[in-house]
Amino acid sequence: MHILEQRFLRGPNLHADTPCLLSVIDLEDLYGVSSKDIPGFNEALLAMLPSLHGQLLPTGQPGGFAQRLRAGTYLARVVEHVTLTLQSMAGPTVVYGRTRPSAGRPGQFRIVVQYAIEKLAEPSFQLAVDLVTALALGEEFDIDARLKELRSIGSRYAIGTSTAAVLAAAHERGIPTSRITEDANLFQLGWGSKQKRLQATTTGDTSYVAVKIASDKQLTKALLQEAGVPVPEGATVTTVEEAQRVARRVGKPVAIKPLDGNQGKGVTTNCATPEEVAKAFEFARQYGRKIIVERFVEGRDYRVLVAGGRIAAASFRRPAHVIGDGVSTIIELVEIENQNPARGSGHSNVLTRLALDAHAEDMLRRQGYVPDAVPAAGVCVELRSNANLSTGGTAEDVTDTLPESTRALCVRAANKIGLDVAGIDIVCQDISVLLDEQGGAVIEVNAAPGIRMHQHPSKGEPRDAGEAIVDGLMGPSNGRIPVVAVTGTNGKTTTTLMIAHAARVAGLGTGVTTTEGVFVNGKRLVKGDCTGYWSARTVLSAPDVDFAVLETARGGILKRGLAFDQCDVGVVLNVSPDHLGLDGVETIEDLAQVKAVVASSASRAVVLNAEDALCVSMVRRAKPGAEVVFFSMEPENPILLKHIEDGGRGTYFQDNAIVIADGSRQQELMRVESMPSSYGGRARYNIANALSAAAALMASGFSNTQIAAGLSTFVSDSKTNPLRTNVFDVRGVTVIVDYAHNAAAYAALAEMARALLPGQLVGIVTAPGDRRDSDLIQIGEVCGEGFDELVVYESQSRGRPVGGAVDLIIQGAENVVGPSDTLHREIEVDKAIRYGLSLCTAGDVLVFACGSSLQVFIDALRVDDPESADRITAQTA
């Protein structure tokens, strides 16, 4: 058994709405072997992974997969379930999986498994393959070391608890989130011009200067004192002698801590003697060069969270401690408490594991204990002088007990420092009593405060601190900009550009992805075929984009999934045979399922071609509440008519005009002659594209005036829309350069070209070699019917012998016209172009299709006609 292919589907995809890992495996000699037929296999697997008993069958039965193992199932399915189990053991729980045989490839299977941590998915799958293979062959397998490695990966790339709480609140609000890098807890909340950034509880709005102030405890105290906030008196020192002098001057027990420390590191409280001061100073010096010595404020330790200018939560924090039982030693009590599943390493869990280190032993000595002492039953033994959760402390919610004056004081403190999210540390006897009545004080203001204590208090009511941070950061916004996703077999690029142009004319900052690149506000950022995941993400992460229009191709959906959880409007133009036999897409129905991923992602409206039965069938894939808008070149289309009669909206072509049907009202939007892209109404496919664009714009909330203004000023030429009906004059011959590469596109292009002039129509055509034989033959049949003279050249052989695709296209043409001297075979593209031109005279129309670039045509032309080549180059510059 070995892995043939793997890819991450990072967004909604053909298989699920969640991120998935797609793997293709070959079972080789294990093909056809059932789990029940391998002696000891099931027992060994279930002994190693007992949690497989909890894996569910599609029927939802608990323990169902163990039953399926015993009843017998193929090993690819076992790999799927083992992968899910391994991921759940090393990180967050994942449950979705799907296994299907690869069509026409015996022994090969396509396995899809959900993942939560991308870095964990591949090694989990590899371990599953190795484990299942070894057990199937009766070999010993040591899983412990590999599982330990998986858990290490899961821990390394896990989302921190504070970050996770904020993200959960964002998801609850419907705010899209994306991890900016897998190596950091840095996230983008929202899209485009409405985006914000988040790292733990530090936001993109958090002032750098404020963070620097908060990290300087002495400066913080000075500012707070200036704002009338009570703080303990003290000073910053750099030597033991200075520390002891300040302690004497204060005249009371002191607290000693690093000037720029965090998470309670290096803090010692209640130092009353010069010896205790010296020891605490040396401890603090381990975490910072400058040390604060200040009056020790007696009382309890409280943390108040301020977010967005309001109090979000407050907690009473108890230092790390154990409670004696009269039998166990302190060492044993710590071990017992660390078995609490709520405790983990660092910030990986609700609580942090207790540590019996030098600082803890010093605390024990102060209380008259040694680590192996046995405290009496019920006696509390403290292990830390600070109450931070990061050092093992616990928390009790006290939010409702905060007096109004204390609330106002905490908000004032956060504002004075300049923090949008702040943790205000207060020490006093009772937080419910006014601070000035009990000598309480603010001892610290923290940037990036942890919120575990508020989300998961050991006692009291949990507070959704994450929600408070999201509310302060995002306000009422859901962080979304309008997104229109356009897919289909033909017309995607032109339709995308039409929609985007209308949005720009309406004054919106617009981001666009097409086969020509990524564009923001008309400027190209990236050149190339940009119709997939990463290109869309580039647009959605651009801070100057108010409106996104994303061409979304079949390949992008299959390779990476969508870059968005949902779009506002999904447009499906058409579905016709293209790219079949690739990536598991064998039939046109399979292709429709891929395109339907866009339709099912639309939250506001889905725009569908009423003339295409496969598009119409996508109505059932629409989200609840999403409007369906149809478009049609045929005003009498029964699907469209019934839809409009029922009060639905749509667009259609009638009497040489684009008509918008908005419920019961039908209005002529514009004459097609006023659309430059229609070429006087001859380019019917661009009229269809305009209908879909008008429908998408209408569904997005644009007025009829805005839609007409956009379509009437959109120009499709070699500058704005390369290789999409680019028209040139070459010494009286009208040349059309277009990217047509499938039968439907060739048929539409030939119809348009035929309507331009009464002369002869010459086609220079090809198609990539990875198309099926039947598809290439069909292209030949369409071109044989559509063109008077046909020159067939080789573009990309893609696994075929050179000339193989050419022969099949010519075979198709001969099926229509018979053996003819109008069919010409010319393998090299430059020679094919020059030969095609040689067949033309003034008044003829020449179509050059499926070229990789316009430059290919210009370079071929330059050999015999440099003047025309220079003129076309100038036109396209």
Side-chain angles (χ1 to χ4, degrees):
M1 185 189 309
H2 70 277
I3 301 169
L4 301 175
E5 177 189 350
Q6 284 188 306
R7 65 180 68 157
F8 287 105
L9 305 174
R10 294 186 169 91
N13 54 77
L14 185 60
H15 313 283
D17 291 334
T18 56
C20 294
L21 173 68
L22 167 65
S23 304
V24 180
I25 68 170
D26 191 335
L27 294 183
E28 298 176 315
D29 294 342
L30 294 174
Y31 177 50
V33 176
S34 171
S35 58
K36 70 176 181 177
D37 297 329
I38 307 172
F41 176 84
N42 294 337
E43 293 75 15
L45 184 61
L46 292 171
M48 285 188 180
L49 302 173
S51 53
L52 277 173
H53 286 281
Q55 289 281 357
L56 303 182
L57 287 173
T59 55
Q61 300 163 276
F65 187 66
Q67 297 173 19
R68 174 68 64 83
L69 275 173
R70 296 186 183 102
T73 187
Y74 50 93
L75 297 187
R77 177 67 58 81
V78 179
V79 169
E80 169 203 322
H81 283 267
V82 170
T83 303
L84 292 170
T85 294
L86 292 170
Q87 287 190 89
S88 300
M89 292 173 71
T93 300
V94 288
V95 297
Y96 175 78
R98 179 180 181 183
T99 299
R100 295 288 185 271
S102 295
R105 298 173 178 85
Q108 292 186 18
F109 291 82
R110 303 173 73 84
I111 303 175
V112 175
V113 289
Q114 179 189 7
Y115 68 83
I117 298 176
E118 186 169 299
K119 295 284 188 180
L120 190 59
E122 276 186 334
S124 295
F125 191 89
Q126 184 64 64
L127 176 52
V129 169
D130 294 345
L131 173 60
V132 172
T133 301
L135 296 184
L137 298 177
E139 299 171 353
E140 294 292 324
F141 193 88
D142 181 6
I143 195 175
D144 292 340
R146 298 278 295 274
L147 196 51
K148 182 179 179 181
E149 183 182 345
L150 276 189
R151 286 180 169 138
S152 175
I153 294 171
S155 175
R156 192 184 320 146
Y157 294 102
I159 297 171
T161 51
S162 293
T163 309
V166 181
L167 293 178
H171 294 157
E172 187 69 24
R173 281 263 304 268
I175 298 169
T177 67
S178 59
R179 195 169 191 169
I180 294 176
T181 101
E182 287 293 314
D183 299 313
N185 274 321
L186 181 61
F187 286 81
Q188 175 180 314
L189 275 60
W191 293 327
S193 58
K194 293 187 178 181
Q195 69 179 283
K196 298 287 186 177
R197 288 184 178 173
L198 174 83
Q199 187 167 40
T201 57
T202 302
T203 77
D205 292 348
T206 302
S207 162
Y208 173 77
V209 172
V211 172
K212 294 290 286 183
I213 292 171
S215 67
D216 185 328
K217 293 177 172 56
Q218 193 61 30
L219 178 57
T220 297
K221 285 172 59 178
L223 289 174
L224 293 181
Q225 195 168 24
E226 186 178 76
V229 175
V231 294
E233 63 272 23
T236 302
V237 301
T238 57
T239 68
V240 171
E241 292 75 19
E242 286 180 301
Q244 291 170 332
R245 276 199 300 273
V246 171
R248 285 195 298 272
R249 187 173 73 243
V250 169
K252 297 177 181 178
V254 294
I256 298 177
K257 53 191 174 183
L259 177 68
D260 54 358
N262 56 42
Q263 298 179 355
K265 295 172 182 174
V267 177
T268 306
T269 60
N270 200 16
C271 300
T273 68
E275 293 75 22
E276 288 176 343
V277 170
K279 190 168 186 177
F281 178 88
E282 293 304 324
F283 178 55
R285 277 294 296 268
Q286 297 176 30
Y287 299 94
R289 189 173 59 86
K290 294 183 178 180
I291 308 301
I292 286 184
V293 181
E294 63 186 18
R295 175 175 62 88
F296 170 57
V297 182
E298 274 197 89
R300 292 179 163 191
D301 189 304
Y302 295 93
R303 163 65 64 82
V304 180
L305 178 69
V306 178
R310 67 180 183 87
I311 301 300
S315 295
F316 160 47
R317 302 189 296 177
R318 292 192 64 178
H321 66 278
V322 292
I323 305 295
D325 60 9
V327 177
S328 306
T329 66
I330 293 173
I331 294 173
E332 290 169 339
L333 291 171
V334 168
E335 290 174 350
I336 292 169
E337 177 58 25
N338 281 339
Q339 291 173 14
N340 180 349
R343 291 194 181 271
S345 300
H347 296 81
S348 64
N349 216 331
V350 174
L351 297 174
T352 299
R353 290 171 63 87
L354 303 178
L356 261 181
D357 54 14
H359 187 63
E361 291 182 8
D362 183 55
M363 281 295 299
L364 292 178
R365 280 192 294 273
R366 291 184 181 209
Q367 300 165 81
Y369 294 109
V370 292
D372 57 0
V374 178
V379 172
C380 176
V381 180
E382 294 190 344
L383 304 174
R384 279 288 185 279
S385 59
N386 66 75
N388 295 65
L389 261 68
S390 57
T391 56
T394 58
E396 174 184 338
D397 179 72
V398 294
T399 307
D400 293 336
T401 68
L402 244 60
E404 194 57 44
S405 64
T406 304
R407 289 172 176 266
L409 179 149
C410 291
V411 171
R412 189 163 73 251
N415 290 342
K416 183 66 175 180
I417 303 305
L419 291 170
D420 59 325
V421 180
I424 313 297
D425 288 347
I426 297 175
V427 175
C428 62
Q429 295 296 331
D430 185 349
I431 197 69
S432 66
V433 177
L434 301 181
L435 289 185
D436 56 5
E437 293 181 4
Q438 56 180 321
V442 173
I443 62 168
E444 204 165 312
V445 175
N446 299 273
I451 58 176
R452 286 188 296 170
M453 69 186 79
H454 309 302
Q455 298 280 148
H456 308 285
S458 301
K459 184 179 178 182
E461 182 181 347
R463 304 289 173 170
D464 197 339
E467 180 182 30
I469 292 172
V470 169
D471 286 346
L473 180 64
M474 304 298 295
S477 170
N478 66 3
R480 294 179 184 271
I481 60 172
V483 174
V484 179
V486 181
T487 194
T489 302
N490 295 309
K492 297 185 294 297
T493 299
T494 301
T495 302
T496 296
L497 292 174
M498 284 178 170
I499 297 169
H501 176 76
R504 284 193 69 201
V505 169
L508 295 174
T510 306
V512 185
T513 63
T514 72
T515 53
E516 293 301 315
V518 176
F519 300 83
V520 172
N521 296 323
K523 295 181 179 179
R524 181 156 58 187
L525 307 184
V526 183
K527 185 177 182 179
D529 187 347
C530 297
T531 56
Y533 176 89
W534 291 112
S535 302
R537 186 160 162 167
T538 297
V539 165
L540 296 176
S541 64
D544 45 353
V545 171
D546 306 313
F547 191 90
V549 193
L550 308 174
E551 180 179 346
T552 308
R554 167 210 64 90
I557 297 172
L558 289 171
K559 289 176 183 175
R560 291 289 178 263
L562 302 179
F564 43 86
D565 60 334
Q566 63 183 38
C567 58
D568 287 76
V569 179
V571 182
V572 187
L573 300 172
N574 43 61
V575 184
S576 58
D578 198 10
H579 300 280
L580 300 182
L582 303 173
D583 297 313
V585 178
E586 304 297 329
T587 67
I588 191 171
E589 289 76 18
D590 291 342
L591 183 59
Q593 291 299 311
V594 177
K595 306 291 186 184
V597 172
V598 169
S600 62
S601 74
S603 61
R604 182 169 180 170
V606 55
V607 175
L608 300 172
N609 186 344
E611 299 170 44
D612 189 314
L614 290 171
C615 287
V616 172
S617 69
M618 293 179 194
V619 169
R620 66 178 184 272
R621 296 284 299 272
K623 288 181 182 292
E627 178 188 13
V628 174
V629 182
F630 281 115
F631 70 93
S632 175
M633 289 289 288
E634 300 297 332
E636 301 301 318
N637 177 276
I639 299 293
L640 176 71
L641 289 176
K642 177 68 166 60
H643 182 69
I644 293 173
E645 287 172 6
D646 292 341
R649 297 198 292 175
T651 59
Y652 58 89
F653 179 55
Q654 186 175 45
D655 298 331
N656 235 32
I658 290 177
V659 180
I660 283 185
D662 187 355
S664 59
R665 185 168 59 95
Q666 299 179 43
Q667 178 180 348
E668 181 178 302
L669 179 71
M670 61 191 302
R671 307 289 296 176
V672 296
E673 296 94 330
S674 65
M675 288 171 38
S677 61
S678 77
Y679 293 94
R682 297 179 183 86
R684 289 178 59 85
Y685 49 85
N686 273 352
I687 297 173
N689 292 336
L691 289 171
S692 64
L697 289 162
M698 175 176 67
S700 298
F702 289 81
S703 68
N704 287 2
T705 301
Q706 290 172 318
I707 298 170
L711 296 179
S712 64
T713 56
F714 173 74
V715 176
S716 181
D717 60 17
S718 56
K719 289 182 181 179
T720 60
N721 198 8
L723 300 180
R724 270 74 184 177
T725 319
N726 301 157
V727 181
F728 307 98
D729 177 79
V730 178
R731 301 192 183 279
V733 176
T734 299
V735 175
I736 303 172
V737 181
D738 195 275
Y739 188 60
H741 58 280
N742 57 56
Y746 273 120
L749 185 60
E751 179 186 20
M752 178 268 182
R754 181 73 70 184
L756 283 180
L757 291 168
Q760 176 180 238
L761 180 58
V762 177
I764 305 171
V765 305
T766 190
D770 58 0
R771 301 319 194 250
R772 299 177 305 176
D773 289 3
S774 58
D775 296 330
L776 295 170
I777 290 171
Q778 184 185 17
I779 288 171
E781 291 171 345
V782 167
C783 291
E785 286 184 341
F787 296 95
D788 300 318
E789 295 271 359
L790 197 62
V791 183
V792 185
Y793 70 96
E794 180 88 351
S795 60
Q796 303 169 68
S797 54
R798 294 184 180 175
R800 289 184 184 272
V802 174
V806 173
D807 294 339
L808 289 167
I809 293 172
I810 289 178
Q811 178 185 330
E814 289 177 339
N815 290 343
V816 175
V817 301
S820 171
D821 57 6
T822 62
L823 305 179
H824 311 279
R825 185 179 191 274
E826 187 60 75
I827 298 297
E828 296 178 27
V829 61
D830 53 341
K831 292 180 180 178
I833 291 169
R834 289 194 290 273
Y835 187 76
L837 282 167
S838 73
L839 298 173
C840 298
T841 58
D844 288 344
V845 178
L846 172 74
V847 170
F848 170 54
C850 199
S852 58
S853 70
L854 183 59
Q855 192 62 45
V856 170
F857 178 78
I858 293 172
D859 290 345
L861 179 62
R862 190 177 301 281
V863 173
D864 297 325
D865 190 354
E867 183 180 339
S868 294
D870 288 342
R871 181 167 41 79
I872 293 175
T873 298
Q875 285 179 245
T876 60

